[in-house]
């Protein structure tokens, strides 16, 4: 399809529980990016993939966060043992080319609330 | 510093022009972008400018780039209530990752 589909739209987890977020990039796009938007609208880059390979993971917290993009499956972002500060909106974006001449196409986000 | 800076808020009257400013950090950025985020939605690419350009016009949008001062601006002509949103400038850093500014919340007063 022509949109980046993120599921679920909302996710509520108790502190210490696992959270798993999904992203289906636009068909034909080989790059996938995950961003975290916290309070005050700040966007933090987490990780990017080129097909199923990690391209850049410099933004990923070393512990508790992991991500995958497997063939024929939506990409996923998993947070083990969630903490209150993980509450944020997580956006996925996809891109056809490494040079983002036309920018990335963003999904509508998954709002994670940790209580 | 490392931040891409923007003013947090801007209010304009419907029909007036809006100018949103951004100061970026990486002088080697090849492309600079403006994104729009409406409430509860993702980011929508509005326009972009290549670093060898000073100006780009696209319908009601005009982007000005001052590379010497690392200053980027977005002018919206004839601002409408539907333009109310948060506007982010973005530059490329590292392995072609977008790095966003702090966002400017534009409120259009009818």
């Amino acid at each position: 399809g022509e949109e980046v589909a993120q599921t679920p739209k909302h996710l509520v987890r108790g502190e210490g529980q696992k959270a798993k977020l999904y992203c289906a990039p636009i068909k034909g796009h080989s790059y996938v990016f995950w961003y975290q938007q916290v309070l005050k609208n700040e966007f933090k880059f987490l990780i990017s993939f080129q097909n199923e390979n990690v391209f850049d993971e410099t933004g990923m917290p070393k512990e508790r966060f992991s991500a995958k993009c497997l063939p024929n499956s939506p990409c996923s972002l998993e947070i083990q043992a969630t903490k209150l500060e993980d509450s944020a909106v997580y956006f996925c974006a996809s891109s056809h080319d490494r040079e983002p001449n036309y920018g990335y196409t963003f999904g509508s986000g998954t709002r994670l609330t940790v209580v | 510093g490392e931040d891409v800076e923007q003013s947090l808020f801007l209010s304009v009257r419907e029909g007036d022009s809006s100018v949103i400013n951004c100061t970026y950090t990486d002088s080697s950025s090849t492309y600079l972008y403006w994104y729009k985020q409406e409430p509860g939605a993702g980011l929508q690419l509005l326009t972009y400018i290549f670093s060898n350009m000073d100006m780009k016009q696209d319908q009601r949008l005009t982007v000005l780039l001052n590379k010497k001062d690392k200053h980027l601006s977005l002018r919206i002509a004839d601002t409408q209530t539907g333009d109310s949103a948060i506007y982010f400038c973005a530059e490329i850093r590292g392995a072609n990752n977008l790095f966003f500014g702090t966002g400017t919340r534009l409120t259009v007063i009818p």
Side-chain angles (χ1 to χ4, degrees):
Chain A
E2 290 301 310
E3 65 171 25
V4 175
Q6 289 190 248
T7 55
K9 288 197 184 306
H10 302 278
L11 190 58
V12 180
R13 286 290 178 264
E15 218 176 346
Q17 291 186 316
K18 183 175 78 175
K20 195 163 185 178
L21 292 61
Y22 296 92
C23 168
I26 289 174
K27 194 174 179 181
H29 281 192
S30 50
Y31 289 87
V32 171
F33 306 82
W34 284 98
Y35 285 83
Q36 179 194 52
Q37 186 178 29
V38 294
L39 289 176
K40 296 186 181 179
N41 305 315
E42 177 191 341
F43 276 89
K44 181 188 170 193
F45 166 74
L46 294 175
I47 190 169
S48 61
F49 287 84
Q50 181 182 9
N51 297 313
E52 58 265 29
N53 304 307
V54 174
F55 190 67
D56 182 346
E57 57 182 348
T58 51
M60 279 290 265
K62 293 285 186 277
E63 300 172 353
R64 303 187 301 107
F65 281 64
S66 62
K68 291 179 188 176
C69 277
L70 299 175
N72 303 314
S73 297
C75 296
S76 64
L77 176 69
E78 190 167 316
I79 308 171
Q80 303 288 341
T82 52
K83 297 183 178 181
L84 295 176
E85 63 256 32
D86 298 331
S87 295
V89 182
Y90 291 83
F91 286 98
C92 172
S94 71
S95 161
H96 175 66
D97 201 313
R98 195 171 75 171
E99 277 294 330
N101 305 25
Y102 302 102
Y104 308 150
T105 302
F106 280 81
S108 300
T110 293
R111 181 177 294 276
L112 172 65
T113 303
V114 181
V115 297
Chain B
E2 292 194 348
D3 289 343
V4 177
E5 296 184 348
Q6 299 179 235
S7 299
L8 288 179
F9 301 100
L10 176 65
S11 291
V12 299
R13 293 205 173 274
E14 193 172 13
D16 287 350
S17 292
S18 308
V19 179
I20 302 170
N21 295 303
C22 169
T23 303
Y24 63 97
T25 61
D26 188 351
S27 58
S28 65
S29 292
T30 51
Y31 290 92
L32 294 148
Y33 303 84
W34 283 103
Y35 279 84
K36 176 183 180 183
Q37 185 179 32
E38 295 183 83
L43 291 165
Q44 173 196 354
L45 177 66
L46 283 180
T47 187
Y48 65 95
I49 188 167
F50 190 50
S51 59
N52 69 353
M53 298 168 66
D54 297 323
M55 185 182 88
K56 180 179 178 182
Q57 188 152 359
D58 184 1
Q59 300 182 335
R60 291 191 299 124
L61 305 178
T62 303
V63 179
L64 295 178
L65 175 60
N66 180 332
K67 281 196 73 176
K68 176 175 167 289
D69 295 336
K70 296 182 193 170
H71 185 263
L72 182 72
S73 68
L74 174 70
R75 178 176 179 270
I76 306 172
D78 187 26
T79 314
Q80 303 296 308
T81 53
D83 295 325
S84 291
I86 302 174
Y87 291 80
F88 293 90
C89 63
E91 63 173 349
I92 295 293
R93 289 191 191 173
N96 292 319
N97 299 319
L98 280 175
F99 196 92
F100 291 89
T102 46
T104 299
R105 183 181 295 276
L106 173 65
T107 302
V108 181
I109 304 163

